Amino acid sequence: EAAVTQSPRNKVAVTGGKVTLSCNQTNNHNNMYWYRQDTGHGLRLIHYSYGAGSTEKGDIPDGYKASRPSQENFSLILELATPSQTSVYFCASGGGGGSNERLFFGHGTKLSVL
Amino acid sequence: DAKTTQPDSMESTEGETVHLPCSHATISGNEYIYWYRQVPLQGPEYVTHGLQQNTTNSMAFLAIASDRKSSTLILTHVSLRDAAVYHCILIQNQGGSAKLIFGEGTKLTVSS
């Protein structure tokens, strides 16, 4: 079974601080995604990547940066964290679109910005 | 990607068969229909997908209308473990990455 590992599982940050959320996949998938999910709502796409060195903006990229230094790793960076970024963040990896876009999700990172 | 419409919630009882509908009236010819489900405090889990033909696996049966403008996820003999939010998503058949856009989905409640 494909594996996606997120770290940390929980994070408390201060307003204005820098936060880095990490994601590692051992599936050799080209595509990786970062979503956030607020209580009682669906997932919203922040950034995604086609492969090492590429990052693309999703639907809500403002306030976030992404980095894909290798096939396995995809990071989400909050340079200046704000309380509105308190949420649960999910990373996912997938094959390549269409008939092969089954995504595998991590367990999520709960971020609280105080 | 085309938009999907699902009911906000549905209720069932253990052992029943549940039909979860999804409307995608503007679906294009190269878009696949994917279903995921999510339980609280966990990431979404893949359920099934299809293009035109009905499909079945150990988790569910996916019935796709002949005009592809709607689909129905059918869960047989549901148990308490099937209680989740079910998402119907359309994905383009393309060689690169695909933006999976999740809506609110249908919250399925299963009672004993």
Side-chain angles (χ1 to χ4, degrees):
Chain A
E1 180 74 357
V4 178
T5 304
Q6 293 182 232
S7 62
R9 293 293 299 272
N10 291 281
K11 174 74 177 178
V12 178
V14 296
T15 297
K18 182 177 181 179
V19 177
T20 299
L21 306 182
S22 300
C23 180
N24 175 273
Q25 55 109 350
T26 59
N27 315 315
N28 198 32
H29 286 156
N30 290 328
N31 304 332
M32 296 187 75
Y33 306 81
W34 276 107
Y35 291 88
R36 65 175 281 178
Q37 185 172 36
D38 301 309
T39 303
H41 292 86
L43 284 81
R44 292 185 289 170
L45 182 63
I46 306 171
H47 284 287
Y48 60 106
S49 168
Y50 294 106
S54 91
T55 60
E56 304 291 334
K57 294 181 179 180
D59 294 323
I60 53 165
D62 292 345
Y64 302 94
K65 290 173 59 177
S67 174
R68 183 86 182 270
S70 65
Q71 179 83 337
E72 297 80 17
N73 296 294
F74 190 37
S75 298
L76 186 68
I77 303 155
L78 291 67
E79 295 279 5
L80 295 170
T82 68
S84 64
Q85 294 174 311
T86 293
S87 188
V88 178
Y89 291 83
F90 289 100
C91 175
S93 74
S99 64
N100 194 28
E101 199 57 27
R102 175 180 175 178
L103 291 192
F104 296 86
F105 283 81
H107 288 286
T109 295
K110 185 176 182 180
L111 173 65
S112 299
V113 182
L114 306 178
Chain B
D1 294 315
K3 179 179 170 60
T4 62
T5 302
Q6 300 176 254
D8 292 337
S9 62
M10 294 186 68
E11 296 182 353
S12 65
T13 304
E14 278 193 298
E16 287 183 341
T17 294
V18 176
H19 291 74
L20 301 174
C22 182
S23 172
H24 26 83
T26 59
I27 189 171
S28 60
N30 64 352
E31 285 184 310
Y32 283 75
I33 302 158
Y34 274 73
W35 284 82
Y36 284 80
R37 70 181 186 183
Q38 185 180 21
V39 298
L41 305 180
Q42 293 187 26
E45 175 189 29
Y46 167 86
V47 177
T48 189
H49 75 280
L51 181 63
Q52 192 159 9
Q53 304 298 319
N54 297 339
T55 63
T56 186
N57 61 20
S58 61
M59 296 181 72
F61 180 84
L62 177 60
I64 301 173
S66 57
D67 63 5
R68 300 205 332 121
K69 294 184 177 182
S70 66
S71 60
T72 302
L73 186 72
I74 301 171
L75 308 176
T76 58
H77 306 293
V78 295
S79 70
L80 297 177
R81 290 191 302 272
D82 293 314
V85 176
Y86 286 80
H87 297 276
C88 170
I89 305 165
L90 303 182
I91 309 298
Q92 282 191 339
N93 182 19
Q94 59 190 33
S97 179
K99 287 175 56 177
L100 273 70
I101 307 300
F102 286 80
E104 299 298 323
T106 297
K107 182 177 182 180
L108 176 64
T109 303
V110 181
S111 57
S112 57

